[in-house]
Amino acid sequence: MLKEVLKEINDSDYISKNKIALKLNKSQDLIEDAFSQLIRMGYIKEDVNSNKCDFKCNGCAFSKLCNKLPVKSFIITDKGERLLQG
């Protein structure tokens, strides 16, 4: 299931744990645990925007909040990319 969650993170423009839970027909608690495991195992890392953004993102869901509120996102590590390719 961890690889399925990782694939959903990779394929999503906007990461929503609730959306992933619905798509995979799993509980939100289970998806939350999966994210924790993926972080612990080094497949993803959490990135909290420190009010800096280098992207020109007119269509971004956070564009109105950009540079005003920290935005938490998840980045797939090189190790995670290798898992997805394997």
Side-chain angles (χ1 to χ4, degrees), residues 21-84:
L22 289 171
K23 185 164 185 183
L24 298 179
N25 196 30
K26 305 292 182 190
S27 71
Q28 280 188 281
D29 287 340
L30 190 58
I31 297 303
E32 186 68 44
D33 288 343
F35 269 72
S36 296
Q37 290 295 324
L38 288 167
I39 291 169
R40 185 185 61 77
M41 296 168 76
Y43 292 116
I44 62 174
K45 64 181 179 178
E46 191 172 0
D47 180 44
V48 177
N49 176 352
S50 59
N51 293 333
K52 291 188 275 181
C53 183
D54 298 330
F55 297 104
K56 307 287 185 239
C57 46
N58 297 332
C60 175
F62 297 108
S63 63
K64 292 181 182 176
L65 301 174
C66 198
N67 294 325
K68 294 178 185 151
L69 296 174
V71 176
K72 184 188 335 180
S73 62
F74 296 91
I75 298 168
I76 297 176
T77 63
D78 290 340
K79 183 178 178 181
E81 291 289 343
R82 288 190 299 274
L83 178 64
L84 286 171

Side-chain angles (χ1 to χ4, degrees), residues 9-25:
I9 293 169
N10 185 62
D11 294 347
S12 296
D13 293 329
Y14 170 75
I15 299 168
S16 163
K17 293 176 184 176
N18 184 49
K19 183 177 138 185
I20 293 171
L22 289 171
K23 185 164 185 183
L24 298 179
N25 196 30

